[in-house]
Amino acid sequence: MNNVYIVSSVRTPVGKANRGSLAHVAPLDYTTAVFKGAVDRVKNLKLEDIEDLMIGCATPEAEQGMNMAMQVGQAAGLGDHITGVTINRFCASGLQAIAMAHQSIACGHAQVLAAGGCESMSLLTLGGNNFVANPALNKIFPNAYLNMGNTAEAVAKKYKVSRASQDKFSLASHDKALRAIDQGLFNNEIIPLDIDLNYYHEGQLKNRKFRFSTDEGPRAGSTLESLGKLPPVFSVGGSVTAASSSQMSDGAACSILVNEQFVEERNLVPQARLVGFAVAPVPAHLMGMGPVAAIPKVLKQTGLELKDIGLIELNEAFASQSIAVINELGLDPKIINVNGGAIALGHPLGCTGAKLTATLLHEMERRSLRYGMVTMCVGGGMGAAGIFENLKI
């Protein structure tokens, strides 16, 4: 097996769905920008060196259809000299793409690959443009179509996660994210986007040009008192509110993976490596507990223990499931989402796993930590987890 290294891992800033900076921007455009940005970050690497693009996307249709991964390479200027594949494992799509690129290089099928994720939750509705439930599946396994908010309520009830603890967790996510932005902690992982937007206003065609470089999700000024006044949004008498749910968002992220021979030939500096990756099933109605199944599996696979993991990016699909996962596995809250999570920063579905990888690798380097983990629950009843080793210590 070939040794595989990550030499670049970056992301776009995350826009608020429907009303943010990327709401009317084609996902192909900002995914192409982050792909080119990931390559530009590596000295002695050219776009022409990329053999294949692997892009995760949870809704690969309409503006994200027609195998968008292939189109990203073409839009970057590679024309007839690139291939691509679009991958869907819902919320883990971006992490799955990185794992598949690693596997391909390790097996000797390629030397240099780009892998990441994208999602426009502004342009594509949840479930797709024309969702149709399959009657046969619905009869055999009705939980296949459960609303994710209802699974968050089920987790809160089963694992006794209180409304107060969810509000506290949500507020902390925003506070950490605001502090990170204020300190410029995301600057190195973000590829700024220069946006040229045409739109109609009061019957007139307008044009707006601007640079988008800062995550839009984090909100200042919230208090436990203000959060406590919000009504539940998924269940009468429930505890999950809009504030304790991940934000619908738009964004893209990309990593560049290469084999050891290419590193030596081009004199590249490895940033990290993927040590292990695992997915595992959980009951569909308790989808949020996916990491509880995936984390032990990836630890066993790699021969590591929880005490070896210095930093964790746990996707905050909902505060209820994040709290329940932390409690069930006995995770250390001090090393989880140290710069905020999806409740504040957003959850652009298929992008998220790749986005969290970029955030994790840069923070591990900043803190000189050896091992870190990206993990998330996945719609339908799955969990995913990947362990990365920082090679810049």
Side-chain angles (χ1 to χ4, degrees):
M1 300 290 282
N2 296 310
N3 290 324
V4 185
Y5 302 107
I6 297 172
V7 294
S8 176
S9 190
V10 295
R11 65 177 180 91
T12 67
V14 175
K16 294 179 74 68
N18 303 317
R19 60 189 186 277
S21 294
L22 298 179
H24 302 289
V25 180
L28 174 64
D29 293 345
Y30 51 82
T31 308
T32 301
V34 82
F35 164 53
K36 295 171 70 175
V39 173
D40 288 343
R41 290 285 182 93
V42 185
K43 186 178 179 181
N44 299 330
L45 181 69
K46 302 176 182 178
L47 280 172
E48 292 78 9
D49 294 318
I50 306 300
E51 299 171 58
D52 198 11
L53 270 158
M54 298 182 174
I55 300 295
C57 181
T59 316
E61 60 179 75
E63 289 90 345
Q64 296 176 158
M66 296 297 291
N67 189 11
M68 190 180 71
M70 179 78 167
Q71 295 182 342
V72 167
Q74 294 166 337
L78 294 175
D80 294 326
H81 305 286
I82 190 63
T83 58
V85 58
T86 304
I87 298 157
N88 184 1
R89 197 190 285 276
F90 292 156
C91 305
S93 298
L95 182 60
Q96 181 69 58
I98 292 171
M100 289 176 67
H102 173 98
Q103 292 159 0
S104 183
I105 295 173
C107 291
H109 297 165
Q111 274 195 308
V112 186
L113 298 175
C118 76
E119 201 77 36
S120 173
M121 298 185 75
S122 295
L123 298 179
L124 288 107
T125 58
L126 285 170
N129 284 330
N130 185 33
F131 170 73
V132 179
N134 183 286
L137 175 58
N138 195 55
K139 184 176 182 180
I140 296 168
F141 189 65
N143 282 349
Y145 298 116
L146 274 178
N147 176 280
M148 294 298 99
N150 289 335
T151 70
E153 288 285 8
V155 167
K157 183 176 181 179
K158 178 175 176 61
Y159 293 92
K160 296 180 173 55
V161 182
S162 69
R163 166 67 186 269
S165 65
Q166 293 176 58
D167 289 345
K168 183 178 179 181
F169 185 93
S170 303
L171 183 62
S173 184
H174 283 277
D175 288 345
K176 289 186 289 185
L178 289 166
R179 183 172 64 250
I181 290 172
D182 184 60
Q183 295 176 356
L185 299 185
F186 298 132
N187 292 351
N188 288 339
E189 70 193 58
I190 286 179
I191 299 295
L193 302 174
D194 291 313
I195 297 174
D196 187 348
L197 189 63
N198 294 315
Y199 64 100
Y200 279 95
H201 179 68
E202 297 181 350
Q204 298 293 317
L205 179 63
K206 303 286 186 179
N207 177 263
R208 180 187 175 209
K209 295 180 180 179
F210 61 99
R211 170 159 280 207
F212 178 37
S213 60
T214 305
D215 298 311
E216 294 178 329
R219 296 187 300 269
S222 294
T223 64
L224 288 177
E225 181 180 11
S226 64
L227 295 184
K229 295 177 180 178
L230 296 175
V233 290
F234 300 108
S235 176
V236 175
S239 61
V240 179
T241 70
S244 60
S245 307
S246 57
Q247 295 188 38
M248 293 175 60
S249 309
D250 308 320
C254 185
S255 294
I256 306 298
L257 293 86
V258 303
N259 68 6
E260 189 167 22
Q261 180 182 346
F262 193 84
V263 166
E264 294 173 352
E265 289 176 354
R266 297 294 182 88
N267 194 29
L268 304 185
V269 180
Q271 180 179 8
R273 72 183 185 96
L274 178 64
V275 182
F277 171 76
V279 293
V282 294
H285 74 290
L286 298 174
M287 173 276 308
M289 301 306 289
V292 173
I295 289 176
K297 186 175 179 180
V298 78
L299 288 172
K300 182 178 180 180
Q301 176 192 115
T302 58
L304 296 171
E305 299 178 19
L306 272 178
K307 64 181 179 60
D308 298 316
I309 308 300
L311 207 60
I312 297 175
E313 286 292 329
L314 167 64
N315 184 44
E316 296 171 357
F318 300 93
S320 63
Q321 60 85 209
S322 297
I323 294 168
V325 167
I326 291 169
N327 290 343
E328 283 299 296
L329 290 177
L331 304 180
D332 182 359
K334 295 186 181 67
I335 68 169
I336 296 174
N337 303 349
V338 295
N339 295 321
I343 286 171
L345 292 163
H347 176 21
L349 298 181
C351 165
T352 291
K355 169 191 175 292
L356 296 183
T357 297
T359 297
L360 177 78
L361 298 189
H362 285 272
E363 189 62 30
M364 286 170 64
E365 182 178 343
R366 186 160 37 244
R367 296 177 177 228
S368 297
L369 297 171
R370 184 175 182 185
Y371 293 114
M373 180 187 295
V374 171
T375 186
M376 67 278 292
C377 57
V378 184
M382 292 182 279
I387 295 176
F388 295 87
E389 182 182 10
N390 172 26
L391 300 177
K392 288 193 171 183
I393 55 175

